[in-house]
Amino acid sequence: MSGLEIWQFIFFELNQLEKAVEAGHTFFMANPEHMEMQQNIENYRTMAGVEESQLVDREARPHLESYSAGVKHYEADDFELAIKYFEQALREYFNEDTECRVLCEGLRDLKNFEFLVDGLTVGSCLPDHYVQVLVCQHECVRELATRPGRLSRLRTFFPCIMTTYSLPTIEVFTAVLNLWCAKAYLLLHPDDEDVLDNVDYYESLLDDSMDPASIEAREDLAVFVKRHKLESELIKSAAEGLGFSYTEPNYWIRYGGRQDENRVPSGVNVEGAEVHGLSVGKKPSPKIDRDLREGGPLIYENITFVYNSEQLNGTQRVLLDNVLSEDQCRELHSVANGIMIVGDGYRGKTSPHTPNEKFEGATVLKALKFGYEGRVPLKSARLFYDISEKARKIVESYFMLNSTLYFSYTHMVCRTALSGQQDRRNDLSHPIHADNCLLDPEANECWKEPPAYTFRDYSALLYMNDDFEGGEFIFTEMDAKTVTASIKPKCGRMISFSSGGENPHGVKAVTKGQRCAVALWFTLDPIYRELERIKADEVIAILDQEQQGKHELNINPKDEL
């Protein structure tokens, strides 16, 4: 448990709820995957009457806060305020960069000097010390583009600022400022064709008396980039002279997901055209590192196609009906009541996502074990196995994957509303999240790093019943607030989607009854195949052999279970 987690409990026990909210919110900003803390914050806020606007992140970096404020104003088309905050973010960034560089000049632990041996003087260690300081200062770019508590950095700060900044300025000020910003961006990415085209357009808007070459990139950024390049050359030279290896990281990551529908095409006559310069696009979806295809055959009869990605307002999404029959739903629901364990998959926590519901689950191997022992019908336990394999084949076929899709985790889950706890309820059954990355709504990012299940590629949910209230499945934007699609579960309905930050999702509160489904996660990497599934495959193979009266495999199914 971290210090901030402990502090929020201490403040709560002392009845200092506002400070408890502060400590919890600061922790949650660095750990957006921590659903329990999110629920604690909501409870504290309700008890203390704290508005969302009053939440304070005590570890926030000023330049990132200003940048986020600028983005919000930009998305609200309030361009003048957006520019104000972007400029403030740059000023704060330069101040924090100075502080970061000064801290690099502190004392070093001599144990970290790899070549320090008996007989070497302190003077002979000075070159190594200088290089360590230089590398540390060079890394301030990465440090200041990383939110506290995160391992991954934002898509580097300056390209974000400069590309966002150069869109609205043409509507507020002049082409000179757009040119000023676009040329600054080109210091980082001199070969970006889109921005080069925009530079040509901005130059065409200048008065005849103005020389385009006289308008240079903004000086503060030009000095910054020049220093960064000189540092890189010094470090490479030192590496060669002192005999250590050094590879320059790519510090200037382009702003991904940009939509260029407003980009000025080269060679186009722009006189009188309604063009707004460079477009960064609002709320870009994270890039998926594979070809995106969908619309493949459903391969089974009677399955009804309902909606595709476009109709569900997203990427790599599909909604299908009749994947299960009514009889199969009833049989699975009956099996669920016989094999479910409270808190299964969440270290026995009865209510891992919300205190207002009981969570129960079971794996496919557990179902087969219970079936083999006669605690549930073996035929029904096998149905769980068979329908999950059916779902896997459908997902693999519909999304037209070129490689095999493997099970990463198979889980039958039920959420039951707890009586007496549904009045004035304002939480979700399962908070908004993504399946293979840590959703960070404040940064509009999804960090693909531990403890997220970064190996998951596709997800699917196969519903078993609809005799409950609430429990709708929802997709949202990356802000975790704007709902893009809502799906009411019912028998045989299946929703499937890619597992990344392009598909944030959650479950609305189950306010009455029990909601049951088969939750499935898949991976394209065989290294991360579900071990219980592999064992279940072996058990099924043995049972098939027994049913055929063959005993060629010298394995007892009970040993596998």
Side-chain angles (χ1 to χ4, degrees):
M1 184 176 288
S2 76
L4 284 169
E5 282 185 279
I6 295 171
W7 274 114
Q8 61 102 17
F9 283 123
I10 291 174
F11 286 134
F12 176 72
E13 292 297 326
L14 294 174
N15 202 32
Q16 297 180 26
L17 298 180
E18 290 186 5
K19 289 185 177 180
V21 171
E22 225 171 67
H25 178 70
T26 300
F27 175 83
F28 186 69
M29 288 298 95
N31 302 273
E33 76 286 352
H34 202 289
M35 303 304 179
E36 199 171 326
M37 183 63 75
Q38 185 180 38
Q39 184 61 48
N40 287 347
I41 293 169
E42 287 301 315
N43 293 339
Y44 298 155
R45 282 180 57 195
T46 301
M47 295 165 68
V50 176
E51 298 295 328
E52 186 173 359
S53 59
Q54 296 175 282
L55 295 177
V56 177
D57 180 359
R58 290 299 181 185
E59 292 183 350
R61 289 192 163 129
H63 72 284
L64 292 179
E65 294 299 294
S66 296
Y67 172 71
S68 296
V71 169
K72 288 177 181 176
H73 286 295
Y74 161 66
E75 291 180 344
D77 293 336
D78 189 348
F79 297 140
E80 292 193 42
L81 272 177
I83 292 171
K84 173 188 172 183
Y85 279 103
F86 289 152
E87 277 294 334
Q88 181 175 316
L90 283 171
R91 289 194 301 272
E92 291 167 340
Y93 180 91
F94 290 132
N95 290 336
E96 291 176 61
D97 176 68
T98 300
E99 182 179 340
C100 177
R101 296 174 69 82
V102 168
L103 291 174
C104 286
E105 296 176 1
L107 296 174
R108 297 277 181 229
D109 187 347
L110 290 179
K111 288 185 290 187
N112 293 330
F113 286 67
E114 295 179 1
F115 55 79
L116 185 61
V117 295
D118 292 338
L120 285 178
T121 65
V122 173
S124 63
C125 296
L126 287 179
D128 184 79
H129 174 75
Y130 174 74
V131 171
Q132 288 193 44
V133 171
L134 189 61
V135 171
C136 176
Q137 292 177 335
H138 199 58
E139 281 286 307
C140 283
V141 171
R142 191 197 304 271
E143 172 69 18
L144 295 181
T146 306
R147 288 184 176 273
R150 295 268 59 87
L151 301 176
S152 306
R153 57 194 163 125
L154 292 169
R155 290 167 288 206
T156 306
F157 182 71
F158 280 127
C160 281
I161 283 283
M162 301 318 301
T163 53
T164 307
Y165 192 1
S166 62
L167 170 64
T169 51
I170 192 169
E171 301 185 22
V172 182
F173 296 111
T174 67
V176 174
L177 287 179
N178 281 284
L179 197 54
W180 187 53
C181 290
K183 286 190 174 182
Y185 180 85
L186 289 174
L187 292 173
L188 308 170
H189 295 298
D191 300 322
D192 191 307
E193 294 181 1
D194 296 345
V195 180
L196 288 168
D197 284 346
N198 283 323
V199 166
D200 291 339
Y201 171 60
Y202 300 145
E203 290 180 344
S204 74
L205 299 178
L206 298 175
D207 294 336
D208 294 336
S209 59
M210 296 190 69
D211 180 9
S214 67
I215 302 173
E216 299 179 345
R218 54 185 300 155
E219 185 178 1
D220 50 5
L221 185 56
V223 170
F224 182 92
V225 173
K226 182 178 180 180
R227 184 188 67 188
H228 193 78
K229 290 180 177 178
L230 287 173
E231 286 174 350
S232 176
E233 292 174 10
L234 284 171
I235 294 171
K236 290 176 182 176
S237 176
E240 185 177 343
L242 295 175
F244 65 89
S245 61
Y246 175 77
T247 302
E248 178 80 356
N250 179 13
Y251 290 102
W252 313 118
I253 302 173
R254 296 172 192 263
Y255 191 79
R258 190 175 69 235
Q259 300 171 357
D260 292 318
E261 66 272 16
N262 293 327
R263 181 177 70 85
V264 184
S266 56
V268 172
N269 182 357
V270 295
E271 290 185 10
E274 186 179 348
V275 182
H276 304 292
L278 179 69
S279 169
V280 297
K282 297 184 181 180
K283 299 178 182 175
S285 296
K287 186 177 180 181
I288 304 175
D289 299 327
R290 58 179 177 273
D291 292 335
L292 301 184
R293 297 188 296 172
E294 62 178 281
L298 299 178
I299 67 177
Y300 292 95
E301 293 182 359
N302 301 323
I303 293 179
T304 304
F305 170 84
V306 183
Y307 294 132
N308 60 16
S309 295
E310 183 179 359
Q311 294 162 315
L312 290 168
N313 303 311
T315 301
Q316 293 280 274
R317 302 174 180 177
V318 66
L319 183 65
L320 307 171
D321 278 345
N322 300 322
V323 177
L324 296 175
S325 68
E326 292 285 346
D327 288 342
Q328 288 175 325
C329 287
R330 281 192 292 270
E331 188 171 358
L332 283 174
H333 207 171
S334 176
V335 170
N337 292 328
I339 65 174
M340 288 285 185
I341 295 176
V342 174
D344 185 71
Y346 289 90
R347 299 177 182 176
K349 291 184 178 180
T350 304
S351 305
H353 305 304
T354 168
N356 302 308
E357 296 174 19
K358 180 175 69 173
F359 182 93
E360 299 170 284
T363 62
V364 69
L365 187 63
K366 186 165 292 180
L368 290 173
K369 179 179 185 293
F370 278 35
Y372 190 81
E373 293 173 351
R375 297 162 70 176
V376 296
L378 182 58
K379 172 178 169 291
S380 300
R382 172 145 190 174
L383 177 62
F384 179 14
Y385 175 92
D386 289 339
I387 60 98
S388 56
E389 174 63 17
K390 180 180 182 180
R392 185 197 68 81
K393 289 179 178 178
I394 293 170
V395 174
E396 185 179 83
S397 176
Y398 178 80
F399 289 113
M400 305 170 72
L401 303 177
N402 292 324
S403 56
T404 302
L405 197 63
Y406 301 96
F407 286 98
S408 166
Y409 192 46
T410 310
H411 207 205
M412 184 182 288
V413 296
C414 289
R415 307 166 188 273
T416 306
L418 296 177
S419 60
Q421 294 184 211
Q422 304 305 315
D423 294 341
R424 299 180 182 177
R425 185 175 170 186
N426 61 359
D427 65 344
L428 297 176
S429 175
H430 198 142
I432 304 300
H433 63 285
D435 285 342
N436 73 6
C437 52
L438 307 178
L439 190 63
D440 188 347
E442 292 294 320
N444 203 40
E445 292 279 357
C446 204
W447 308 108
K448 203 164 185 180
E449 62 185 48
Y453 300 100
T454 57
F455 47 84
R456 290 176 176 173
D457 293 298
Y458 284 90
S459 308
L461 291 155
L462 184 52
Y463 298 108
M464 295 154 50
N465 66 315
D466 60 4
D467 54 340
F468 55 89
E469 293 180 8
E472 292 88 350
F473 176 94
I474 53 174
F475 285 114
T476 72
E477 298 279 10
M478 288 187 71
D479 62 6
K481 296 177 182 177
T482 308
V483 176
T484 58
S486 179
I487 296 151
K488 177 68 177 174
K490 69 175 186 177
C491 167
R493 173 162 284 180
M494 185 175 89
I495 179 72
S496 182
F497 48 93
S498 54
S499 302
E502 67 280 0
N503 283 319
H505 59 278
V507 179
K508 288 187 176 181
V510 178
T511 56
K512 185 178 181 180
Q514 184 185 64
R515 174 192 190 271
C516 294
V518 175
L520 303 161
W521 293 273
F522 305 104
T523 179
L524 293 167
D525 190 341
I527 292 175
Y528 295 103
R529 291 175 66 188
E530 181 184 9
L531 294 179
E532 283 208 7
R533 188 77 192 196
I534 294 172
K535 291 182 178 179
D537 291 341
E538 294 171 355
V539 170
I540 290 296
I542 296 166
L543 292 173
D544 286 345
Q545 290 284 355
E546 285 185 345
Q547 193 173 23
Q548 296 170 10
K550 299 178 181 178
H551 302 280
E552 296 173 7
L553 294 175
N554 188 24
I555 303 175
N556 186 335
K558 193 170 183 178
D559 293 338
E560 295 300 313
L561 295 165

